[in-house]
Every structure is written in C-alpha cells, then in structure tokens.
Amino acid sequence: MTDAGAKRPNELSITEAASVLRSGQFSVRELFDACFATAEARNSELNAYREFFIDAETDAAIDAAQKRLDTEGEKAPMLCGVPLAIKDNILIEGRIASASSKILENYRATYDATVIMKLKAEGAIFIGRTNMDEFAMGSSTEHSAFGATKNPHDVSRVPGGSSGGSAAAVAAHTVIAALGSDTGGSIRQPAAHCGLVGFKPTYGSISRSGLMALGSSLDQIGPLTKTVADAKILFDAIQGNDTLDSTTIPAESPYEKRGTPKVFRVGVPYHLLDSGIDPDLRANFDIALQKIKEQGHEIVEVNLPTSSYALAVYYVIMPAEASTNLSRFDGMRYGLAKRGKTLLDDYVETRTEGFGEEVQRRILLGTFVLSSGYIDAYYRKADAARAVLTKEYDDAFEKVDVIAFPTTPSPAFKFGEKSDPVSMYLEDIFTVTANLTGMPAISVPMGTVMREGKDLSTGIHFTAPKGADDLLFTIGAAITGETLLHGH
Ligand code: GLN
C-alpha cells in the first residue's frame, strides 16, 4: 500500500482515512471538506452526483463522528467520520431518491434503507447521491434521465453502469468510497472501467430493504472502493440477516463453510474467452493469471457450457421481474402524477412521461415474456436454464475454489458507441451469471490498456461458491498485493 502521508486527504482509502482520523492528522471536518471541494470542482464536468448533502444534518453527523473519535479513539468503528457517496436508488430518510428517473425526480424517502441505518450507526458521513442509469437499467449511465456521467480517466468515455456515478465519484477522489447496486453487473462493470474494486456479495447477505427493486431475485447492494480491504470493511459493516428482508441469509448460514485454502485452485473457462475479447485486455488477464501462479496458486481449466446462454437467460428474467416491480409507479402511490380523462389515461400519461426509453423497452419485454401465450416459451425456459447454470457452477466448485475471467470484454467505450440495445447488453456477458446463480463476485483492477493516448482500466473478475465471500477478498488481495486486516 502507498504511503498515506503523501496523499491528499480525499485520495485516501478507508483504512488510511481511519488511521489519519485517529492520529489527529486530519479532523472529520477537514477530510469531508477536502472531498467536497474536489467533488464540487469536478462535478460540472463528470456529472457523478445528482445532489450534495451540504446542510445542518450533515454538519451534525460530522460533529458527532468527531466527538466519537475523540472519546472512543481506536475503539471507534472503522467507518466513523468517513465520507461515502450513495447511489440514487438507496433510501436515506428525508432525502430525495430518484433512481435517476423523471418519475421519482422529487420523491423523498420516508425511511432509511437497512444499509443506511447500519452505516449511520458506524458514524459514516453521506456526501451526496450519485447518478445512475434510470432504475439501474444499463451499462454506461447514459440512460440517466439527468445526463450521462463521464469516466474520470477519459471524459470522452463512459464510466460503465448502472452505478457509474458512484464509480466516477470514487475514481475521481471526490469521496473515500461508495455504495452501488448490482443486478447483472452494475457494481463490477463500472468498477472495472474506473480502476476500482467492485463487490457483489452472495444473494441475501445484504438486506435489500430500502433498495429500489429492479430484479428482486438478482439485486444486491455492494461497495465500490479503492482497495480490496476497503470493500471488505464496507461489506462487513452492512451485511447481516434482516427481518425487513426475508431473503436475507439467516444467522445460521444455509451454505457450506469453506475455509480459506493456502493454495487456491483458480478455475478458468477458456472456452468462453475464445472470441469477442479485446486482445490487449486479454493480455492483461493472462498476466494476472501468471501473477496468481507465481504466488503458488493453481490454474485449472473448467467447462461451463451453459454460460453462453447466461445473457439470454438474464434478459428474460430481469425484464420480467422489472416489469412487475415497476408497476407500482402508477401516478397514484409515488412520484410524478399526470391526470387524464380516465384512470387508464392517468396511468398511461404518467408512465409515458415519467419513464425513459430503456425502461419502457424492458417493461414491454418483461410483460411479453410473462404473458399467458409466451410464459412457457420464454420465462419458464429461462428459469429452467437458470437452474442448469447454477448446477454447473456448483459442480465446478467441487474442483476449484474460485472461477476467474475478465469483468468486461473490452475497456470503457465512447458515448453513443453502444446505442444499439443488444450491443449494450453484451457488456454484461461475464457479470450476469453471478446474479442468476446468487454467487458472490468481485472485480479487481488488472492493469490498463492504452487507447488514444489514455490509460484505460481493466478488471479481473472472480466468483466463489455462495457464502464464500471471504475467498474473494483473499484472492483479490493477491492481485492487488494488499494485506488484509482481520478482525477489525
Ligand atoms: N447492465 C445490466 C442491465 O442493464 C445490469 C444492470 C444492473 O446490474 N443494475 O440490466
């Protein structure tokens, strides 16, 4: 890890920030102000934030965190006084949460998401809410109703999506870390494009209470951070069984306990990597595997034949669930309300004006695959394929501890380059499987590729058996060269 002393406060990781706050080198206020000054300076160009939370409530949180650090010292929680950015689809009581959609533009949350309650209890400070693809549908943040976010490493390119605002905010050092949500790759893909660590936990390990539902059997909240250690710190702070979300994992975990092996068997499905991958990115992947081998771990070829159908399966199941979840935005219960001549007109006008094109496309697609004439041909087939895919991974994990591939097929693309929806959907080819099967997954930086004189980030992606989230932090740290703190 680099020397915390040589960095500006906003450039620190969570671990480093926690240590300078404890040593008194910086106060909570100084750390927050350093982040906010950079955020304000960069945001007109990047459009990473929808809103900054600069008010009496934030001031009070800063003062309370400082007091706690002063009295509790080393015993204060790691996140006490650490500024975080929150994706615009996670509820913070009293604050607007719009999912970057016109339909919820002025919607104010009436309660805290469980993750927010936990972070408040730790003393974390929320600097603002971040831009995203509308209702988390997209891979570039171009589908936000409030303009795209730019990639801080090359502003002519997308930061990825849908958590592109959170990723750009952290990568531009406007905040120490951020939360995103991941339904098919929305934390890991922007992490790869912005040079960050992005983590999607085992389905059910983090409460979805207060996360706006997209695909309820796929959605998970997770961290976007500068280091693997930070991802673990945030995960540990927000995970846990929750009576407000019956899909959270019970305290007595249903998953087989796996110890951390000394020698990892890393599975690589080479058959999935034969075509469609940028050659420079592929070269980075091979170098990363070599690094793993040199540390004494084994590379084992695995066969996952159904994976080639994963994207098709995802783009049936995800729109099906989204079309159902989004039916609640009807002009009666939340947000925008248009009034026509009849009740039907009210619905049609509200939803036509409130939802963007991609959201409407997915609602149409989802309604179609669930309609009585087609549910067997599409939705039930996809659901059966999902079960086969899960079995295939379970079998592979009998032979290997983790499975590796690149997070994305290519580095960050230019604005407008993927205006054809299918070309955009192909961005998720490697990430959707973790959501379909419920496995945990992490994206870790694996070096850059040069395009038009700019260094663009790339990411390596690992998945592990359900419940074995910790294996991902260990193998991720093997790539970044970090030593992980235990038992903080
Ligand atoms: N890009 C994928 C989609 O558009 C994933 C989105 C997500 O994970 N929220 O559905």
Side-chain angles (χ1 to χ4, degrees):
M1 212 174 285
T2 40
D3 175 19
K7 293 181 182 175
R8 289 185 298 150
N10 52 302
E11 293 171 351
L12 301 175
S13 65
I14 295 176
T15 336
E16 291 164 343
S19 111
V20 298
L21 289 176
R22 275 158 189 71
S23 72
Q25 191 186 340
F26 292 106
S27 67
V28 177
R29 168 63 66 187
E30 283 165 338
L31 177 63
F32 183 87
D33 285 351
C35 290
F36 179 57
T38 313
E40 219 184 7
R42 296 296 311 273
N43 202 46
S44 53
E45 181 181 34
L46 297 178
N47 195 30
Y49 290 88
R50 294 277 310 112
E51 183 188 356
F52 294 117
F53 301 146
I54 304 300
D55 54 18
E57 194 181 331
T58 302
D59 284 344
I62 290 171
D63 292 345
Q66 188 64 58
K67 204 170 266 167
R68 195 161 166 190
L69 281 163
D70 293 344
T71 49
E72 293 177 26
E74 287 299 324
K75 289 209 189 74
M78 275 303 252
L79 290 165
C80 187
V82 174
L84 301 176
I86 306 293
K87 190 175 179 178
D88 194 20
N89 62 350
I90 299 173
L91 306 189
I92 305 177
E93 188 181 346
R95 304 240 180 242
I96 292 178
S98 80
S100 296
S101 175
K102 277 201 289 185
I103 212 161
L104 290 177
E105 186 170 359
N106 300 310
Y107 170 73
R108 254 176 220 284
T110 54
Y111 63 97
D112 278 334
T114 296
V115 296
I116 296 297
M117 280 193 274
K118 290 186 179 224
L119 291 175
K120 282 184 175 173
E122 292 255 320
I125 316 289
F126 307 123
I127 190 169
R129 61 188 166 100
T130 54
N131 198 25
M132 56 184 276
D133 285 298
E134 183 176 1
F135 283 105
M137 298 177 188
S139 310
S140 68
T141 321
E142 288 166 289
H143 295 317
S144 166
F146 307 102
T149 296
K150 292 181 176 153
N151 189 318
H153 301 297
D154 176 352
V155 292
S156 72
R157 292 175 191 270
V158 304
S162 65
S163 312
S166 287
V170 179
H173 296 297
T174 68
V175 72
I176 305 301
L179 287 189
S181 67
D182 192 311
T183 303
S186 279
I187 290 174
R188 293 160 284 151
Q189 185 256 15
H193 285 338
C194 290
L196 300 174
V197 174
F199 178 64
K200 196 257 350 151
T202 299
Y203 183 77
S205 41
I206 294 180
S207 172
R208 290 178 296 115
S209 173
L211 168 68
M212 288 185 201
L214 176 56
S216 306
S217 75
L218 307 159
D219 299 339
Q220 278 292 282
I221 294 172
L224 281 136
T225 56
K226 296 171 191 176
T227 65
V228 174
D230 283 8
K232 180 168 162 50
I233 290 168
L234 263 178
F235 173 62
D236 288 345
I238 61 179
Q239 69 161 325
N241 193 18
D242 181 14
T243 48
L244 298 174
D245 174 0
S246 60
T247 63
T248 46
I249 300 171
E252 199 55 50
S253 168
Y255 302 119
E256 175 201 345
K257 261 256 149 291
R258 301 216 176 196
T260 308
K262 280 230 151 40
V263 173
F264 272 75
R265 294 162 302 164
V266 179
V268 181
Y270 283 104
H271 63 102
L272 296 176
L273 309 179
D274 286 345
S275 62
I277 297 186
D278 178 278
D280 296 338
L281 189 144
R282 173 63 200 265
N284 283 2
F285 180 68
D286 291 336
I287 293 168
L289 290 185
Q290 191 55 37
K291 195 164 164 186
I292 292 173
K293 245 186 173 151
E294 280 161 14
Q295 292 181 34
H297 306 300
E298 283 168 31
I299 307 293
V300 182
E301 178 156 11
V302 289
N303 195 18
L304 300 162
T306 312
S307 285
S308 41
Y309 299 104
L311 198 66
V313 170
Y314 173 81
Y315 276 98
V316 171
I317 289 177
M318 183 273 183
E321 294 189 9
S323 70
T324 315
N325 276 325
L326 268 57
S327 67
R328 76 191 68 187
F329 302 108
D330 57 3
M332 307 292 147
R333 287 174 281 190
Y334 307 90
L336 185 72
K338 289 273 146 197
R339 294 291 170 252
K341 285 202 188 65
T342 63
L343 181 63
L344 183 65
D345 287 344
D346 294 353
Y347 293 154
V348 172
E349 284 181 28
T350 303
R351 290 166 68 86
T352 305
E353 188 173 318
F355 287 142
E357 196 180 311
E358 182 61 25
V359 176
Q360 294 191 20
R361 179 179 296 117
R362 301 224 190 168
I363 292 173
L364 285 172
L365 196 60
T367 311
F368 175 78
V369 300
L370 291 175
S371 61
S372 65
Y374 296 99
I375 189 163
D376 286 325
Y378 293 104
Y379 182 75
R380 295 218 168 95
K381 266 251 166 67
D383 205 37
R386 181 181 192 175
V388 175
L389 197 63
T390 306
K391 169 95 177 53
E392 220 166 80
Y393 268 86
D394 286 348
D395 291 347
F397 285 126
E398 296 294 321
K399 285 188 293 202
V400 296
D401 303 299
V402 294
I403 292 175
F405 34 76
T407 311
T408 60
S410 42
F413 48 94
K414 297 239 169 163
F415 291 100
E417 197 179 316
K418 305 215 170 179
S419 52
D420 162 33
V422 175
S423 72
M424 185 75 87
Y425 298 167
L426 281 166
E427 263 291 294
D428 309 322
I429 192 144
F430 293 128
T431 48
V432 294
T433 313
N435 304 77
L436 288 169
T437 61
M439 303 178 287
I442 196 167
S443 178
V444 177
M446 62 164 189
T448 57
V449 298
M450 176 82 90
R451 291 287 179 280
E452 298 168 352
K454 300 249 164 71
D455 284 327
L456 303 182
S457 319
T458 63
I460 183 168
H461 183 274
F462 297 97
T463 50
K466 287 185 273 287
D469 302 60
D470 273 347
L471 292 190
L472 297 178
F473 299 123
T474 310
I475 194 77
I479 296 282
T480 59
E482 290 171 55
T483 20
L484 292 180
L485 282 177
H486 287 287
H488 56 261

